[in-house]
Amino acid sequence: MPISLKVNGVERTLECDTRVSLLDALRDHLDLPGTKKGCDHGQCGACTILVNGRRINSCLTLAVMHEGDEITTIEGLGGPEDLSPMQRDFVSCDGYQCGYCTPGQIMSATGMLAEARDGMPSHVSESLIGKANLSDAEIAERMSGNLCRCSAYPFIREAIARNTEQSQ
Amino acid sequence: MREFDYVRADSLDHAAAQAGPHAALIAGGTNLLDLMKLQVMVPERVIDISRLDGLDTIEADGPGLRIGAMVRNADLAADPRIRADYPVLARALLAGASGQIRNKASTGGNLLQRTRCPYFYDTAMACNKRAPGSGCAAEGGASRMLAILGTSKDCRAAHPSDMAVALRALEARVAIRAPNGTERILEMDQLYRLPGDRPDLETELDEGDIITAVLLPAPALGSSQSYRKIRDRASYAFALVSVAAVVTMQDDRIGKASLAFGGLAPRPWKDAQVDAMLAGQAPSEALFSKAADTLLAEAVSDAGNEFKRHLAHRAMIAVLREATGLAPASTGTDLVGEPA
Ligand SMILES: Cc1cc2nc3c(=O)[nH]c(=O)nc-3n(C[C@H](O)[C@H](O)[C@H](O)COP(=O)(O)OP(=O)(O)OC[C@H]3O[C@@H](n4cnc5c(N)ncnc54)[C@H](O)[C@@H]3O)c2cc1C
Ligand code: FES
Ligand code: FES
């Protein structure tokens, strides 16, 4: 089926089988391998991207379902020469070891901060009313959809906390 | 994954007309695609209802709310009316899956998500739910995630949804549209069948039926609401046991208690006898313990999930303590504004 997507601000079209996940469309049809495949079943978060500004797992959705949608991948946040603030904070806090989960972590953190700014509560928020303060426990809970096999969690949370402080 | 035709529905009529024995609706896709990749579900046609107009709003419905079937789990949990008036629902949603999945998962899809029984997932194993008549490989096997109430010798699978447990405690109902366009409204216990000797038949939905909305009754003003989920890790895991409670006190007595349980049964579990034992009584440890005994009186467990009896017993008492004021409320217990 023919599909058109707006990926990182650029109109792209591709022709693919109905079975192709959005993740495989990005990696194998649009030559954007920054988004990673960990489990392919929604369990690890390595494939996290933004669709119309919201974070999702690209492995658990079909490319054909996203006709006309705006997609942001790690390549769209910034490259080696023009890192986004979140990417820079991950680098300066050593928020990774092998780096495999990192694109997903950074995309997820970007989406998560937008949710928090919109007032979304979390499982650990004491009150459901009002905006939660992004404590370490809040960051950990809101990022629980991203696993890190190297267990770089403390530094990942630190990078996100640093980014939060700077953007406030 | 097996090959399939993809149809983007442009109306409910269109979606219903495309239905058939080998077709499946897709909403968020977070459960269906997982199962299609494993060939546990093998539809030949996938009907996309995610872009249908009018299914993704939350509207007033008399004194209650009508939640469209395509409202995403994240949006439902964030809605100010849900947070203030139905906090147990917001809490249950926030306890489920991950931020990414909640952004995709829909209200209708969450209700109809399939069991997480490991034998259902493994196509090399016997499973009466996946392959009717093939048997149940769970006998004597890994039962940690399996049910202990409402099961049959043919199936011990548990319903995995957190959201549905809160909806059951809130006494929500489900609106279903038949292919001829008529709407019928079912209580949740009418929607979900118990397995008996046909565990493959999970709901009362017929071919071409589409869930259009979940209906919430008027808010239980003055109630204390609580969702407690116990799982193998602190986040991003299915419930071993969960308890949803909506409790209204009248002076020093329990006016009304509506409890529902997750992780224990093939559907979000409610026991009318338990609610009735609590109503009108002064809250006490002894009362709660007796009610928990009643809840679990018919439980059937094995060595692998025997622990669920104790966990459910204690979780129910802990939740009731907080909801009735015997213990201070902790995170997960919220008050709904007093009547003016
Ligand atoms: C890693 C992981 C962890 C998870 N953890 C949890 C958890 O802790 N707690 C929890 O509750 N859930 C959890 N989930 C499950 C998640 O909540 C469900 O996958 C999700 O709610 C399904 O919604 P969906 O819209 O994506 O459904 P889909 O996958 O689109 O559909 C699911 C089923 O419902 C049918 N359907 C969908 N909409 C309708 C409709 N309107 N009318 C009739 N039929 C319909 C489909 O045909 C399909 O059979 C988890 C999932 C994953 C992948
Ligand atoms: S690859 Fe998508 S969640 Fe693991
Ligand atoms: S840095 Fe190696 S998996 Fe996270």
Side-chain angles (χ1 to χ4, degrees), chain A:
Chain A
M1 272 180 85
I3 308 163
S4 35
L5 305 168
K6 190 165 185 181
V7 186
N8 300 328
V10 181
E11 297 288 351
R12 303 285 302 263
T13 53
L14 66 149
E15 177 73 39
C16 69
D17 189 288
T18 54
R19 289 172 288 183
V20 173
S21 68
L22 185 53
L23 171 61
D24 288 345
L26 292 167
R27 289 179 57 82
D28 300 336
H29 293 257
L30 298 175
D31 200 25
L32 290 167
T35 308
K36 298 294 182 255
K37 185 185 285 195
C39 65
D40 214 21
H41 284 278
Q43 297 171 0
C44 76
C47 65
T48 305
I49 58 167
L50 305 182
V51 174
N52 302 328
R54 298 175 64 158
R55 56 177 172 158
I56 65 157
N57 297 324
S58 59
C59 69
L60 275 193
T61 192
L62 298 171
V64 289
M65 296 177 75
H66 289 279
E67 176 64 36
D69 281 347
E70 279 191 35
I71 315 282
T72 310
T73 69
I74 191 74
E75 291 93 341
L77 279 198
E81 305 309 318
D82 59 340
L83 293 177
S84 69
M86 186 69 82
Q87 287 168 311
R88 230 178 297 122
D89 291 329
F90 266 72
V91 173
S92 63
C93 293
D94 274 338
Y96 46 79
Q97 285 181 42
C98 76
Y100 195 82
C101 71
T102 313
Q105 299 280 1
I106 292 177
M107 296 313 294
S108 184
T110 305
M112 181 276 280
L113 289 186
E115 290 163 11
R117 274 196 298 273
D118 286 346
M120 167 73 79
S122 89
H123 171 64
V124 300
S125 302
E126 235 167 81
S127 166
L128 290 171
I129 312 298
K131 259 189 208 186
N133 180 23
L134 283 188
S135 62
D136 195 52
E138 282 278 2
I139 293 174
E141 165 59 27
R142 289 165 194 258
M143 291 296 294
S144 72
N146 291 83
L147 305 193
C148 175
R149 190 70 174 79
C150 303
S151 214
Y153 297 113
F155 305 114
I156 293 171
R157 293 201 301 274
E158 191 185 316
I160 297 170
R162 179 174 298 186
N163 188 278
T164 317
E165 283 158 24
Q166 283 159 0
S167 63
Q168 268 170 1

Side-chain angles (χ1 to χ4, degrees), chain B residues 266-323:
Chain B
R267 65 181 178 204
W269 192 253
K270 178 175 255 317
D271 186 331
Q273 237 183 308
V274 170
D275 291 355
M277 282 176 76
L278 296 166
Q281 303 298 313
S284 74
E285 224 34 58
L287 173 71
F288 301 161
S289 183
K290 225 171 74 195
D293 290 343
T294 301
L295 171 76
L296 295 156
E298 316 258 295
V300 178
S301 57
D302 65 19
N305 60 15
E306 162 78 18
F307 76 94
K308 282 193 176 185
R309 290 171 181 265
H310 309 288
L311 202 54
H313 201 275
R314 288 179 199 163
M316 174 172 155
I317 293 173
V319 162
L320 281 172
R321 257 192 230 130
E322 290 192 19

